Amino acid sequence: MVYFVYRCVYEGPSGRLVRHFPDATVLDWFRRVWDDAASQDAYKWVERELGANVHGLHTIFETGLPAPRTHGELRRMLKEHLYVERTLRVDRHSVRVLTDDDDVELAYFFVDDHVVADEPDCWAYLVHESWDLPADAPPHVRTFTPPVPVDVVSPAPPGGEGVTWAVILTHHATANSVGGRYPKALQGVRLPGLAAALRAADAHELSGELCALRALIAPGEREIASALECCNRWGPLEEWLPEISPPHSQAHEHALRLLEDFVPADGRDPGRTLIRCDGHLAQMAIHMDEAFGYRQWFLFDDVWAAAHPEMAASLMRFGAHWDPRCRRGHARLTHCG
C-alpha cells in the first residue's frame, strides 16, 4: 500500500489530507496512473484522484514523456519536470515535497506503507486521519524523550513531578506555515496541574498563545478546558501584551475586558472550533479564518506521551520540521533544504 499525505492549511481541522492506494510502491502508483492522468486535464485529474488541488503535482503528468520504468527514472523525471517552489526529496520508497502557493507553505508526501510501519515516530501523526488524537493514557513504566529540541518555559516547582508539553501549530506568514514550531515544556507539572502552573509562570517566558491561555484561566480554576473555550473567542492570540501579563490577576481582568469586545473577523467562526480535554491530553482545532482554516493546539504530559510514544514523537517532529525523514543536523532556525 502507498500513503499519500497533503499537509495543507486548507484541509480542514487536521490540516492534512490522507489517502491510501493499493499499489506496492510509490513507483507503481506513478506507473499505474501515468497514462490516465496524461491523457486528460492533469490539473482536474489530480484534484479528482487525490481529493485536493495538490499544488504543482499536475505538472509531472504534462511532460508528454512515457511513464517511468525504474526508481531512477522517476527520480530524474521529478527533479527535471515537477513544479516545486522549495524542496524535492526522492528516494526508493518516498517522494517528499515542500512548496508554496504564494500564500502559505504546503508539503506533500508519497510513501510506501512499510516505511510508515518501520518509522512510526516519524509518520504516525502524519498518517493519522482524524483531527484529534487518542486520549487514553494507561500507565507505562517507560519514559518519553522528545525527538526534537524543546523550549523549557518555566522552572519546575518544588516537589513537582512529570512534564507537560505544548505543541501549538500556528503560523503568521508564508515563510513559517510549515515547520518551525518547537514544543514548549513546563517541567514538574502534568496536565491536571497545568492551570495552576500557568498562573504562577512568568508570562515573559511564554509564547503569545500560552500567555493568552494563562490570562484566560480564572483564579482558582483547576482545569484549562474553559480557558481553551475562551481562547476560541480571543482575537490576536499571538500578540499578547507582555507589559500587562504579570501578575495573573491583572492579566485575567484585562483579558475578560478584551473578550467582551471580541467580534469575529475575516471569516473566523468560533462555532467551527473543536475542543477536547481529557486527563492527560488537551487538544483544540481552532478556526481562525475562512481562507486558511484551522490551527491545531496539543497540550499533553509525560503520562500520555509514554502511552503513545510514536504519536507524541511524530507530532513533535511535525511541528518542528516539514520533512519527517530528515536526519540532517542543521541548526534549529535553519529552514532545511
Side-chain angles (χ1 to χ4, degrees), residues 8 13 36 44 58 67 81 108 140 156 164 201 206 234 312:
C8 172
D36 188 32
K44 292 181 179 178
H58 67 283
H81 300 290
Y108 61 89
H140 281 269
T164 293
L206 304 177
W234 180 262

mmCIF file with all atom_site columns, all heavy atoms in Angstrom, residues 8 13 36 44 58 67 81 108 140 156 164 201 206 234 312:
data_model
loop_
_atom_site.group_PDB
_atom_site.id
_atom_site.type_symbol
_atom_site.label_atom_id
_atom_site.label_alt_id
_atom_site.label_comp_id
_atom_site.label_asym_id
_atom_site.label_entity_id
_atom_site.label_seq_id
_atom_site.pdbx_PDB_ins_code
_atom_site.Cartn_x
_atom_site.Cartn_y
_atom_site.Cartn_z
_atom_site.occupancy
_atom_site.B_iso_or_equiv
_atom_site.pdbx_formal_charge
_atom_site.auth_seq_id
_atom_site.auth_comp_id
_atom_site.auth_asym_id
_atom_site.auth_atom_id
_atom_site.pdbx_PDB_model_num
ATOM 1   N N   . CYS A 1 8   ? -1.556  20.739 4.481   1.00 0.00 ? 8   CYS A N   1
ATOM 2   C CA  . CYS A 1 8   ? -2.054  21.971 3.874   1.00 0.00 ? 8   CYS A CA  1
ATOM 3   C C   . CYS A 1 8   ? -3.105  22.601 4.784   1.00 0.00 ? 8   CYS A C   1
ATOM 4   O O   . CYS A 1 8   ? -4.026  21.915 5.238   1.00 0.00 ? 8   CYS A O   1
ATOM 5   C CB  . CYS A 1 8   ? -2.656  21.623 2.512   1.00 0.00 ? 8   CYS A CB  1
ATOM 6   S SG  . CYS A 1 8   ? -3.530  22.960 1.711   1.00 0.00 ? 8   CYS A SG  1
ATOM 7   N N   . PRO A 1 13  ? -9.979  20.693 9.831   1.00 0.00 ? 13  PRO A N   1
ATOM 8   C CA  . PRO A 1 13  ? -9.479  20.808 11.203  1.00 0.00 ? 13  PRO A CA  1
ATOM 9   C C   . PRO A 1 13  ? -8.113  20.180 11.428  1.00 0.00 ? 13  PRO A C   1
ATOM 10  O O   . PRO A 1 13  ? -7.344  20.659 12.260  1.00 0.00 ? 13  PRO A O   1
ATOM 11  C CB  . PRO A 1 13  ? -10.554 20.088 12.026  1.00 0.00 ? 13  PRO A CB  1
ATOM 12  C CG  . PRO A 1 13  ? -11.798 20.212 11.215  1.00 0.00 ? 13  PRO A CG  1
ATOM 13  C CD  . PRO A 1 13  ? -11.347 20.127 9.797   1.00 0.00 ? 13  PRO A CD  1
ATOM 14  N N   . ASP A 1 36  ? -3.396  7.628  -17.634 1.00 0.00 ? 36  ASP A N   1
ATOM 15  C CA  . ASP A 1 36  ? -4.721  8.192  -17.375 1.00 0.00 ? 36  ASP A CA  1
ATOM 16  C C   . ASP A 1 36  ? -4.624  9.686  -17.102 1.00 0.00 ? 36  ASP A C   1
ATOM 17  O O   . ASP A 1 36  ? -5.382  10.491 -17.665 1.00 0.00 ? 36  ASP A O   1
ATOM 18  C CB  . ASP A 1 36  ? -5.363  7.460  -16.197 1.00 0.00 ? 36  ASP A CB  1
ATOM 19  C CG  . ASP A 1 36  ? -6.813  7.858  -15.989 1.00 0.00 ? 36  ASP A CG  1
ATOM 20  O OD1 . ASP A 1 36  ? -7.492  8.162  -16.998 1.00 0.00 ? 36  ASP A OD1 1
ATOM 21  O OD2 . ASP A 1 36  ? -7.266  7.875  -14.836 1.00 0.00 ? 36  ASP A OD2 1
ATOM 22  N N   . LYS A 1 44  ? -7.228  18.807 -13.240 1.00 0.00 ? 44  LYS A N   1
ATOM 23  C CA  . LYS A 1 44  ? -8.506  18.286 -12.735 1.00 0.00 ? 44  LYS A CA  1
ATOM 24  C C   . LYS A 1 44  ? -8.369  16.830 -12.305 1.00 0.00 ? 44  LYS A C   1
ATOM 25  O O   . LYS A 1 44  ? -9.019  16.388 -11.353 1.00 0.00 ? 44  LYS A O   1
ATOM 26  C CB  . LYS A 1 44  ? -9.576  18.423 -13.807 1.00 0.00 ? 44  LYS A CB  1
ATOM 27  C CG  . LYS A 1 44  ? -9.946  19.876 -14.115 1.00 0.00 ? 44  LYS A CG  1
ATOM 28  C CD  . LYS A 1 44  ? -11.036 19.952 -15.168 1.00 0.00 ? 44  LYS A CD  1
ATOM 29  C CE  . LYS A 1 44  ? -11.420 21.402 -15.457 1.00 0.00 ? 44  LYS A CE  1
ATOM 30  N NZ  . LYS A 1 44  ? -12.460 21.490 -16.520 1.00 0.00 ? 44  LYS A NZ  1
ATOM 31  N N   . HIS A 1 58  ? 0.294   18.366 -10.825 1.00 0.00 ? 58  HIS A N   1
ATOM 32  C CA  . HIS A 1 58  ? -0.177  18.055 -12.174 1.00 0.00 ? 58  HIS A CA  1
ATOM 33  C C   . HIS A 1 58  ? 0.911   18.209 -13.232 1.00 0.00 ? 58  HIS A C   1
ATOM 34  O O   . HIS A 1 58  ? 0.857   17.587 -14.293 1.00 0.00 ? 58  HIS A O   1
ATOM 35  C CB  . HIS A 1 58  ? -1.367  18.958 -12.529 1.00 0.00 ? 58  HIS A CB  1
ATOM 36  C CG  . HIS A 1 58  ? -1.004  20.414 -12.652 1.00 0.00 ? 58  HIS A CG  1
ATOM 37  N ND1 . HIS A 1 58  ? -0.785  21.215 -11.545 1.00 0.00 ? 58  HIS A ND1 1
ATOM 38  C CD2 . HIS A 1 58  ? -0.812  21.208 -13.743 1.00 0.00 ? 58  HIS A CD2 1
ATOM 39  C CE1 . HIS A 1 58  ? -0.501  22.440 -11.945 1.00 0.00 ? 58  HIS A CE1 1
ATOM 40  N NE2 . HIS A 1 58  ? -0.493  22.462 -13.264 1.00 0.00 ? 58  HIS A NE2 1
ATOM 41  N N   . ALA A 1 67  ? 5.691   6.803  -19.082 1.00 0.00 ? 67  ALA A N   1
ATOM 42  C CA  . ALA A 1 67  ? 5.783   6.555  -17.644 1.00 0.00 ? 67  ALA A CA  1
ATOM 43  C C   . ALA A 1 67  ? 7.164   6.056  -17.261 1.00 0.00 ? 67  ALA A C   1
ATOM 44  O O   . ALA A 1 67  ? 7.814   5.329  -18.027 1.00 0.00 ? 67  ALA A O   1
ATOM 45  C CB  . ALA A 1 67  ? 4.734   5.520  -17.239 1.00 0.00 ? 67  ALA A CB  1
ATOM 46  N N   . HIS A 1 81  ? 11.081  17.884 -14.001 1.00 0.00 ? 81  HIS A N   1
ATOM 47  C CA  . HIS A 1 81  ? 9.817   18.365 -14.556 1.00 0.00 ? 81  HIS A CA  1
ATOM 48  C C   . HIS A 1 81  ? 8.747   18.721 -13.531 1.00 0.00 ? 81  HIS A C   1
ATOM 49  O O   . HIS A 1 81  ? 7.766   19.387 -13.894 1.00 0.00 ? 81  HIS A O   1
ATOM 50  C CB  . HIS A 1 81  ? 9.250   17.309 -15.516 1.00 0.00 ? 81  HIS A CB  1
ATOM 51  C CG  . HIS A 1 81  ? 10.150  16.992 -16.666 1.00 0.00 ? 81  HIS A CG  1
ATOM 52  N ND1 . HIS A 1 81  ? 10.397  17.889 -17.689 1.00 0.00 ? 81  HIS A ND1 1
ATOM 53  C CD2 . HIS A 1 81  ? 10.892  15.877 -16.941 1.00 0.00 ? 81  HIS A CD2 1
ATOM 54  C CE1 . HIS A 1 81  ? 11.236  17.344 -18.561 1.00 0.00 ? 81  HIS A CE1 1
ATOM 55  N NE2 . HIS A 1 81  ? 11.544  16.123 -18.137 1.00 0.00 ? 81  HIS A NE2 1
ATOM 56  N N   . TYR A 1 108 ? 3.726   17.782 0.595   1.00 0.00 ? 108 TYR A N   1
ATOM 57  C CA  . TYR A 1 108 ? 3.004   16.540 0.315   1.00 0.00 ? 108 TYR A CA  1
ATOM 58  C C   . TYR A 1 108 ? 3.989   15.392 0.176   1.00 0.00 ? 108 TYR A C   1
ATOM 59  O O   . TYR A 1 108 ? 5.176   15.585 -0.096  1.00 0.00 ? 108 TYR A O   1
ATOM 60  C CB  . TYR A 1 108 ? 2.083   16.661 -0.906  1.00 0.00 ? 108 TYR A CB  1
ATOM 61  C CG  . TYR A 1 108 ? 2.722   16.985 -2.230  1.00 0.00 ? 108 TYR A CG  1
ATOM 62  C CD1 . TYR A 1 108 ? 3.194   15.967 -3.074  1.00 0.00 ? 108 TYR A CD1 1
ATOM 63  C CD2 . TYR A 1 108 ? 2.815   18.298 -2.682  1.00 0.00 ? 108 TYR A CD2 1
ATOM 64  C CE1 . TYR A 1 108 ? 3.741   16.262 -4.320  1.00 0.00 ? 108 TYR A CE1 1
ATOM 65  C CE2 . TYR A 1 108 ? 3.354   18.602 -3.918  1.00 0.00 ? 108 TYR A CE2 1
ATOM 66  C CZ  . TYR A 1 108 ? 3.817   17.579 -4.742  1.00 0.00 ? 108 TYR A CZ  1
ATOM 67  O OH  . TYR A 1 108 ? 4.364   17.873 -5.959  1.00 0.00 ? 108 TYR A OH  1
ATOM 68  N N   . HIS A 1 140 ? 2.410   3.506  32.058  1.00 0.00 ? 140 HIS A N   1
ATOM 69  C CA  . HIS A 1 140 ? 3.530   2.772  31.481  1.00 0.00 ? 140 HIS A CA  1
ATOM 70  C C   . HIS A 1 140 ? 4.770   3.040  32.311  1.00 0.00 ? 140 HIS A C   1
ATOM 71  O O   . HIS A 1 140 ? 4.967   4.146  32.819  1.00 0.00 ? 140 HIS A O   1
ATOM 72  C CB  . HIS A 1 140 ? 3.779   3.206  30.028  1.00 0.00 ? 140 HIS A CB  1
ATOM 73  C CG  . HIS A 1 140 ? 2.840   2.590  29.043  1.00 0.00 ? 140 HIS A CG  1
ATOM 74  N ND1 . HIS A 1 140 ? 3.109   1.409  28.399  1.00 0.00 ? 140 HIS A ND1 1
ATOM 75  C CD2 . HIS A 1 140 ? 1.624   2.990  28.593  1.00 0.00 ? 140 HIS A CD2 1
ATOM 76  C CE1 . HIS A 1 140 ? 2.102   1.102  27.583  1.00 0.00 ? 140 HIS A CE1 1
ATOM 77  N NE2 . HIS A 1 140 ? 1.191   2.056  27.689  1.00 0.00 ? 140 HIS A NE2 1
ATOM 78  N N   . ALA A 1 156 ? 10.796  24.153 37.183  1.00 0.00 ? 156 ALA A N   1
ATOM 79  C CA  . ALA A 1 156 ? 9.940   23.189 37.875  1.00 0.00 ? 156 ALA A CA  1
ATOM 80  C C   . ALA A 1 156 ? 9.628   23.681 39.277  1.00 0.00 ? 156 ALA A C   1
ATOM 81  O O   . ALA A 1 156 ? 10.518  24.150 39.995  1.00 0.00 ? 156 ALA A O   1
ATOM 82  C CB  . ALA A 1 156 ? 10.626  21.829 37.932  1.00 0.00 ? 156 ALA A CB  1
ATOM 83  N N   . THR A 1 164 ? 4.790   18.693 31.137  1.00 0.00 ? 164 THR A N   1
ATOM 84  C CA  . THR A 1 164 ? 3.740   18.915 30.150  1.00 0.00 ? 164 THR A CA  1
ATOM 85  C C   . THR A 1 164 ? 4.330   19.652 28.961  1.00 0.00 ? 164 THR A C   1
ATOM 86  O O   . THR A 1 164 ? 5.079   20.620 29.139  1.00 0.00 ? 164 THR A O   1
ATOM 87  C CB  . THR A 1 164 ? 2.581   19.739 30.747  1.00 0.00 ? 164 THR A CB  1
ATOM 88  O OG1 . THR A 1 164 ? 1.927   18.957 31.757  1.00 0.00 ? 164 THR A OG1 1
ATOM 89  C CG2 . THR A 1 164 ? 1.558   20.105 29.684  1.00 0.00 ? 164 THR A CG2 1
ATOM 90  N N   . ALA A 1 201 ? 3.384   30.976 36.336  1.00 0.00 ? 201 ALA A N   1
ATOM 91  C CA  . ALA A 1 201 ? 4.521   31.099 35.413  1.00 0.00 ? 201 ALA A CA  1
ATOM 92  C C   . ALA A 1 201 ? 4.832   32.562 35.123  1.00 0.00 ? 201 ALA A C   1
ATOM 93  O O   . ALA A 1 201 ? 3.970   33.443 35.204  1.00 0.00 ? 201 ALA A O   1
ATOM 94  C CB  . ALA A 1 201 ? 4.227   30.362 34.118  1.00 0.00 ? 201 ALA A CB  1
ATOM 95  N N   . LEU A 1 206 ? 6.642   32.764 28.137  1.00 0.00 ? 206 LEU A N   1
ATOM 96  C CA  . LEU A 1 206 ? 5.655   32.006 27.379  1.00 0.00 ? 206 LEU A CA  1
ATOM 97  C C   . LEU A 1 206 ? 5.490   32.571 25.976  1.00 0.00 ? 206 LEU A C   1
ATOM 98  O O   . LEU A 1 206 ? 5.743   33.742 25.725  1.00 0.00 ? 206 LEU A O   1
ATOM 99  C CB  . LEU A 1 206 ? 4.308   32.028 28.100  1.00 0.00 ? 206 LEU A CB  1
ATOM 100 C CG  . LEU A 1 206 ? 4.286   31.528 29.544  1.00 0.00 ? 206 LEU A CG  1
ATOM 101 C CD1 . LEU A 1 206 ? 2.888   31.695 30.122  1.00 0.00 ? 206 LEU A CD1 1
ATOM 102 C CD2 . LEU A 1 206 ? 4.735   30.075 29.630  1.00 0.00 ? 206 LEU A CD2 1
ATOM 103 N N   . TRP A 1 234 ? -10.959 34.705 21.449  1.00 0.00 ? 234 TRP A N   1
ATOM 104 C CA  . TRP A 1 234 ? -9.894  35.670 21.666  1.00 0.00 ? 234 TRP A CA  1
ATOM 105 C C   . TRP A 1 234 ? -9.382  36.152 20.326  1.00 0.00 ? 234 TRP A C   1
ATOM 106 O O   . TRP A 1 234 ? -9.308  35.379 19.369  1.00 0.00 ? 234 TRP A O   1
ATOM 107 C CB  . TRP A 1 234 ? -8.772  35.007 22.460  1.00 0.00 ? 234 TRP A CB  1
ATOM 108 C CG  . TRP A 1 234 ? -7.615  35.893 22.763  1.00 0.00 ? 234 TRP A CG  1
ATOM 109 C CD1 . TRP A 1 234 ? -6.428  35.966 22.091  1.00 0.00 ? 234 TRP A CD1 1
ATOM 110 C CD2 . TRP A 1 234 ? -7.520  36.838 23.823  1.00 0.00 ? 234 TRP A CD2 1
ATOM 111 N NE1 . TRP A 1 234 ? -5.613  36.899 22.658  1.00 0.00 ? 234 TRP A NE1 1
ATOM 112 C CE2 . TRP A 1 234 ? -6.253  37.449 23.731  1.00 0.00 ? 234 TRP A CE2 1
ATOM 113 C CE3 . TRP A 1 234 ? -8.390  37.238 24.845  1.00 0.00 ? 234 TRP A CE3 1
ATOM 114 C CZ2 . TRP A 1 234 ? -5.828  38.430 24.622  1.00 0.00 ? 234 TRP A CZ2 1
ATOM 115 C CZ3 . TRP A 1 234 ? -7.964  38.211 25.720  1.00 0.00 ? 234 TRP A CZ3 1
ATOM 116 C CH2 . TRP A 1 234 ? -6.705  38.791 25.616  1.00 0.00 ? 234 TRP A CH2 1
ATOM 117 N N   . ALA A 1 312 ? 3.320   10.863 19.928  1.00 0.00 ? 312 ALA A N   1
ATOM 118 C CA  . ALA A 1 312 ? 3.890   12.065 20.530  1.00 0.00 ? 312 ALA A CA  1
ATOM 119 C C   . ALA A 1 312 ? 5.143   12.509 19.790  1.00 0.00 ? 312 ALA A C   1
ATOM 120 O O   . ALA A 1 312 ? 5.332   13.700 19.516  1.00 0.00 ? 312 ALA A O   1
ATOM 121 C CB  . ALA A 1 312 ? 4.206   11.808 22.005  1.00 0.00 ? 312 ALA A CB  1
#
